[in-house]
Amino acid sequence: MLNFIPAKTDVEVLIVGAGPAGSMAARAFAYEGREVLLIEKSAEVGRVVLCAEGISHESLSIFLVPDKARWIASNLNFARLYSPSGDYLEVRRKNLGYILERKIFDRFLVELALKEGAEISTSTTFLDAKREKEQ
């Protein structure tokens, strides 16, 4: 079932997709005092995602303090990065990164955005948007 946002709903910032990038963008815009609507096509945020569970410690730490008890499944000390040609590079280092519990992690990020004042609409499919005026 689709959830259509009424045409009368005006927002300053519309973000499509409540994955990590969308949730972090919603959080940042809301923190700036912008009126933010985050829409997600699934009925539930944090549905099982079968990719992108791995992240380096440095990348994650730019934005968040890693919560090892809540949304980190395991630590990474080894990674093998493949190029399209099949060549690869191996990296071995203590505390290289993490495997995330994406369902918990994604919900955590949405909670952060909501705390900053963003709104969310789930079961919502993006069809069209109209810019009323230049900012």
Side-chain angles (χ1 to χ4, degrees), residues 111-122:
E111 289 171 13
L112 293 178
L114 296 175
K115 285 179 184 175
E116 292 296 342
E119 294 183 21
I120 187 167
S121 180
T122 56

Side-chain angles (χ1 to χ4, degrees), residues 16-27:
V16 179
S23 297
M24 291 297 287
R27 178 186 182 199

Side-chain angles (χ1 to χ4, degrees), residues 29-72:
F29 280 115
Y31 177 79
E32 292 178 354
R34 306 286 184 106
E35 182 185 8
V36 179
L37 177 61
L38 176 62
I39 64 173
E40 170 59 39
K41 68 180 175 181
S42 297
E44 180 181 355
V45 172
R47 66 195 180 285
V48 176
V49 180
L50 299 177
C51 63
E53 288 90 1
I55 189 166
S56 72
H57 172 76
E58 288 81 9
S59 297
L60 181 61
S61 297
I62 290 170
F63 301 102
L64 301 165
V65 174
D67 189 338
K68 295 181 181 182
R70 188 168 176 199
W71 37 260
I72 293 181

Side-chain angles (χ1 to χ4, degrees), residues 12 17 20 36 42 45 47 57 82 86 88 94 96 110 121 128:
E12 190 174 4
V36 179
S42 297
V45 172
R47 66 195 180 285
H57 172 76
Y82 286 90
Y88 62 88
K94 186 175 173 141
L96 177 64
V110 168
S121 180
D128 191 20

